Amino acid sequence: NITDSDPDGRLTVTDKDVKLQEIALAKNEGKELTKEEKQRLRKEKKQHKKNKKDDKGPPEKEKEKEKASVPAPSKPATQSPAHKAAPAPVHASESAAAAEKPAKSKAELRAERRARQDSERTSKQGKKEGGQQSASSKPKATPNELQPVVKRLPEHVQVDDPAALKKLAKKLERQQVPLRSDYGYKVSLFSHLHQYSRKSPPTLQISIPATVIHPSIVRLGLQYSQGIIAGSNARSVALLHTFKQVIQDYSTPPNEELSRDLVNKLSPYISFLSQCRPLSASMGNAIKYIKKEISNIPSQCKEEEAKGKLQACIDSYINEKIILASEAISKYAIEKISDGDVILVYGCSSLVNHILCKAFEKQRKFRVIVVDSRPRLEGREALRRLVKKGIRCTYVLISALSYILPEVSKVFLGAHALLANGYVMSRVGTSQIALVAKAYNVPVLVCCETYKFCERVQTDSFVSNELDDPDDLIVTRNGKSHLENWQTVKSLGLLNLVYDVTPPDFVDLVITDLGMIPCTSVPVVLRVKNVDQ
Amino acid sequence: MPGADKETELSERIEAFLSELKRCGSGAGSLRGSAETARETTSLLRRITAQARWSNAGDLMEIIRKEGRRMTAGQPSETTVGNMVRRVLKIIREEYARSRGSTEEADQQESLHKLLTSGGSSEDNFRQHFTHLKANVIEAINELLTELEGTTDNISMQALEHIHSNEVIMTIGRSRTVEAFLKDAARKRKFHVIVAECAPFCQGHEMATSLSKEDIETTVIPDAAIFAVMSRVNKVIIGTQTVLANGGLRAVNGTHTLALAAKHHSTPLIVCAPMFKLSPQFPNEEDTFHKFVSPHEVLPFTEGEILSKVNAHCPVFDYVPPELITLFISNIGGNAPSYIYRLMSELYHPEDHEL
């Protein structure tokens, strides 16, 4: 029935109705809404709002609705300042289109003025995330000034805040990305973090074939959530390769610029990936780089050329920051390995394994002790790689650390990220190894590429961490597994942490591709990097 | 002949006890706790005293020492056996001295004068025959047995003095003493317990399930997370396998890391250990201190390809130096580690330190 009457009792134009129904249909099928359809939806909503309340409603509310319907241009996490800048130009176009409406309400004018003021304020602040507002080239504040950084709290540490959860749910719904629900009883100290089960991946809720999310992104997300790809270098490289594929398959829609639209396309992908597994610091830095490169594409560039350029950028990023960096780090690290050394490593760090293999090729005589811990048992992978090379190895669990440490001459550790206050964020158990090594006066060397440096600061392992599937702790020995029915016991909780932070006084040296630096020089390196870029 | 029957029965019992000890050493915690071992040893010694043929205290001590050496050789890491033997020897000495009429104090004091003058004169003191010595010794051993029965309760009664409400307590592995301690405190106070699972045997899982059944908020963490969560812990309460003569511990592996983490965060480390675990050994002997079990617990045979090229170790115990320990709670009350040497001199005679 085409000529339906809308709830206000007016007979609307049939043509408009058809369009609306089509939009509703498209949404249900999971097809992506085009920009025009979204604009139409917005207009309809605005009209309803206007008819419902005249000018009583505070202009903020209207702006809220505007924000909710405008897709986030850059970052996945939403924050009001960023969005106030975005609707400013859109609002301008809207108001131009609405100029045909006879009267512009006072509220709308007020809202426009406010939005304009806000956009100017944010451009003056020169937020680093806001620098990618491709809407208008705003002047960026020079990094030499100590500007007040408006940091927004990442979503994944706000699980105990129901308002933040609702915001996330709305955002994901808009991007048509499935929301993953928490699993099992969470220890009260960690109620602000997510805890997912490996048995319920987020891909269960997506329709196949998913036309909103690129299939290689779906595959990548599944590999992350099942733990098939683990380790921060591996995850970053896989992410970059998948983005290359996405860029290859991308085609600019008409009346759109590649530099703006591609960034918008990437946002739901990133939300989906962070639902599968929270993004690591290295992945965050890689994404920032890509977005910057995309938004720096000049508008007169042809599509094929632009795509080729982006792919070359990604290739050079991987080459410089990961492959060449590990070569440089190996060169420095090999100077520190002498004949007769007994080296202790923990878990499976691709960088440390690379260093040891290189040192072995250079005919250094040493033996390795691999320390491993439950429940991941990643050390076995490292053990296999080293034994295949022919290095003499010993293998113990982390509880036998005090027994084995008197034999050890050096400890090499890998890192997940280096924080700006000098703390090393790495696999859980690393801080323990550094602590006991310090007690036995054994030097601790951390190997980390510069692209893993991040501006966050953290002093303990609670405020920002990742909780893995608690069922991993269950083990069956002699046919009995005591923790099998842990869910039924009310006061029992299992805690499976993934990361921990090591204080800088336990670490003697950090080996990076820029050289050998002490732990506390991380903010210096970050500053230098920012100025360069 | 009734005498011969009794002797064979006695030797059978000793053999059964020895084989039980040897089998228990699989490393997965003893199949029965140290308290049971102590009780069985003591009742066996009482039986030996009652049934063996001896005429004076010296003979008895010889017999007991011989049997004691055999029993400790069966399972050297189970030190409670040796400790009980030494206690019984001390009892015999005391009873002998009391029968003779001389005060125990004079014999016990180790002054420099005594060291230089007395020498070996104490040896032939034990050759005198007393009729009531047997009965006295057996009575004293009975007292020792009753003391052993009540150790866990004695320790648990002190729980409320050390645990206040809303505390976070950390423990590692499974200790029956600590379990009883925490359960007793939980009757009146509400607190949270974090249990480190202690790979590869994961005894912490049993401990956690048993504690959570008493409605104590329990969390199980893997060993690797000990330092990460230590900043939120108020007290660390652990059990141990042995308390050494210098106040250090021989405890389940992973305890040294726990103690270092507690020291770093200035968290008090409390050890709940009954007195029969106190042993006159020192941790100096590197090769006899550690006990190892099969490395397939660490690297199972399914990893066959690399298994032959790799050394895997699975030690069972850890040494914890006395500087890291804050307090010992035993059935006779709370003590600092620096006081342990004094307690030892009350329990054992210096000549019995080497069996």
Side-chain angles (χ1 to χ4, degrees), chain B residues 178-248:
Chain B
V178 174
E179 207 180 310
F181 191 82
L182 292 175
K183 282 184 182 173
D184 198 276
R187 285 190 293 126
K188 299 262 175 61
R189 308 246 160 101
K190 271 249 154 292
F191 52 90
H192 191 128
V193 177
I194 299 181
V195 181
E197 66 177 7
C198 191
F201 304 110
C202 295
Q203 299 149 308
H205 293 186
E206 259 187 82
M207 175 88 156
T209 36
S210 134
L211 285 177
S212 55
K213 287 207 176 61
E214 304 284 325
D215 266 349
I216 303 178
E217 282 282 330
T218 321
T219 306
V220 179
I221 61 167
D223 298 327
I226 287 179
F227 186 77
V229 303
M230 182 57 83
S231 49
R232 291 293 170 278
V233 173
N234 300 117
K235 282 192 178 75
V236 180
I237 301 184
I238 55 175
T240 175
Q241 203 259 356
T242 310
V243 180
L244 300 164
N246 64 346

Side-chain angles (χ1 to χ4, degrees), chain B residues 8 16 29 56 78 81 84 106 113 155 168 181 190 197 238 249 253 279 290 327 346 351:
Chain B
T8 44
N56 53 36
E78 192 64 55
V81 175
M84 288 297 107
H113 182 243
I155 294 179
V168 180
F181 191 82
K190 271 249 154 292
E197 66 177 7
I238 55 175
L249 299 180
N253 68 341
S279 161
H290 282 289
L327 185 69
E346 285 174 26
E351 287 185 12

